[in-house]
Amino acid sequence: MTAATLRTMLLATDGSPDAALAARVAADLCRETGATLHVVHAWQVPTLASQAEARAYPDEPVTGHSAVYEAYAQRAERLLAEQLAALYDAGVGSVREHLVNGHPVAAIVDLAAVVQADLIVLGSRGLGPVGRLVLGSVSEGVAHHAARPVLVLRGGAAAWPPRRLVIGADGSADADRAATLAARIGRACGATATLAHAFPELPLLPFETPAEGRARRDEAMRRAEVALEGRAQRVEALLGRRPEVRVVVADPAHLLLSAAEQGDGPALLAVGSRGLGPLQRFWLGSTSTKVLRAAHGPVLIAPHQPLPVAAQEHDAGRAAHPVGG
Ligand code: ATP
Ligand code: MG
């Protein structure tokens, strides 16, 4: 578990209530950690508006400096200026601002790479029209594509600061990175922590009796508990207090979501973007996707870092020759 530091943060804002919560959280974390804060607002002329303009002024180019383009550009400038003023009101020393004409997901993901953000902070919902969704397309897109940790805020003013961290710890490298970063954030917030490992129901092997199957599962869980204790010690060193450790036979997303909901005070859920599941093609695993979509409060996702090529070949070799190694 490497000691992730928070030196640079990128706040993405569209001026929505969830983005305002994200701004407060980014301001708090920057004050606590001394991190440099960047703020980005991306804007585009919606296709329908440019089509309408093209029909009204068929001889004028729509891009460049058309009236519609100028109106959207000015609105975006005003929005970013208001967000900056709010950040300075919240006591942030200095902010680097980025106004980008382009698709928000690409703008946020690319800028996070350029400024080497240690954390992207954004709201769960924005100003989009579909009020029933809990997750907007920008936050979901950033969570899926960013190669940097992402903190998605929701749940209103009462959701932050978290009193508890609920960390999904399945033994994967991504989960370890999520745990490290969550512990740093949790320390700044004075939070307690639970490290939870959901264990799958193991199918019976051929010729195995149910009692033998149970014994094998108990043994596997005992080994998982020992491994989790080691992780708990590393989290304790960063958090400043001992985390609770839970190894349970359950569906992982269900275990994490219910652990976040039971207990006193707001919780921050932290997961790795990919666990140990078999679908290596996908950037975000099914547990992190479910947690991100269904949690009532904030979610921290550590990005997937593929194994170095040499390690992948080594792993593939082991999978191809499971007996001989
Ligand atoms: P949709 O846009 O898919 O209809 P939505 O508007 O409800 O849904 P998102 O757009 O995903 O939700 O907004 C989630 C968060 O992403 C916002 O709270 C904000 O932090 C960030 N965000 C959204 N749009 C932009 C943008 N244009 N520039 C920067 N950040 C943005
Ligand atoms: Mg939106």
Side-chain angles (χ1 to χ4, degrees):
M1 231 185 268
T2 51
T5 44
L6 280 176
R7 278 183 299 252
T8 306
M9 259 179 249
L10 176 63
L11 166 69
T13 183
D14 63 350
S16 61
D18 278 1
L21 175 62
R24 176 164 71 79
V25 170
D28 283 359
L29 289 174
C30 282
R31 272 201 320 273
E32 291 283 344
T33 61
T36 305
L37 182 58
H38 292 257
V39 55
V40 56
H41 174 61
W43 66 278
Q44 284 176 301
V45 178
T47 317
L48 283 178
S50 54
Q51 282 171 354
E53 187 176 56
R55 276 197 299 276
Y57 308 100
D59 299 329
E60 303 262 335
V62 174
T63 51
H65 296 282
S66 69
V68 166
Y69 180 95
E70 280 303 333
Y72 277 93
Q74 280 171 20
R75 194 171 76 175
E77 248 171 65
R78 274 198 306 278
L79 189 149
L80 187 59
E82 284 163 15
Q83 301 309 310
L84 279 170
L87 286 166
Y88 286 122
D89 282 351
V92 176
S94 75
V95 185
R96 308 209 181 147
E97 54 180 298
H98 306 267
L99 192 59
V100 183
N101 177 212
H103 191 280
V105 174
I108 297 165
V109 168
D110 291 350
L111 189 62
V114 170
V115 304
Q116 303 195 347
D118 297 309
L119 186 64
I120 302 171
V121 187
L122 79 182
S124 179
R125 285 294 320 275
L127 295 171
V130 189
R132 274 172 300 130
L133 298 177
V134 291
L135 193 66
S137 62
V138 174
S139 41
E140 183 152 28
V142 170
H144 276 270
H145 296 291
R148 308 260 151 190
V150 181
L151 177 58
V152 180
L153 274 308
R154 59 163 77 108
W160 198 271
R163 305 286 308 131
R164 302 174 289 128
L165 307 173
V166 174
I167 302 169
D170 63 352
S172 65
D174 291 359
D176 282 350
R177 276 192 294 277
T180 304
L181 191 55
R184 290 198 175 274
I185 294 173
R187 187 182 194 115
C189 302
T192 61
T194 300
L195 282 177
H197 185 168
F199 221 80
E201 196 64 75
L202 300 179
L204 278 186
L205 296 176
F207 312 117
E208 194 175 48
T209 66
E212 284 165 344
R214 273 195 302 279
R216 187 166 53 84
R217 190 191 68 196
D218 290 349
E219 171 58 18
M221 284 178 74
R222 201 189 53 73
R223 274 190 269 123
E225 258 163 37
V226 172
L228 209 53
E229 278 303 326
R231 294 191 157 79
Q233 277 172 18
R234 293 193 286 265
V235 167
E236 183 179 4
L238 294 169
L239 185 66
R241 47 171 106 186
R242 183 123 192 98
E244 178 202 359
V245 164
R246 266 193 231 173
V247 180
V248 184
V249 179
D251 169 73
H254 182 259
L255 174 68
L256 295 172
L257 290 164
S258 52
E261 264 151 50
Q262 296 149 10
D264 293 330
L268 168 63
L269 269 160
V271 288
S273 94
R274 294 292 326 277
L276 296 172
L279 293 172
Q280 294 293 333
R281 275 177 304 132
F282 296 115
W283 197 249
L284 213 55
S286 73
T287 300
S288 39
T289 301
K290 282 184 215 160
V291 164
L292 186 60
R293 287 186 184 156
H296 294 304
V299 177
L300 174 71
I301 298 186
H304 182 51
Q305 283 179 1
L307 291 172
V309 175
Q312 277 178 6
E313 280 166 1
H314 178 71
D315 267 23
R318 274 211 318 226
H321 309 285
V323 182

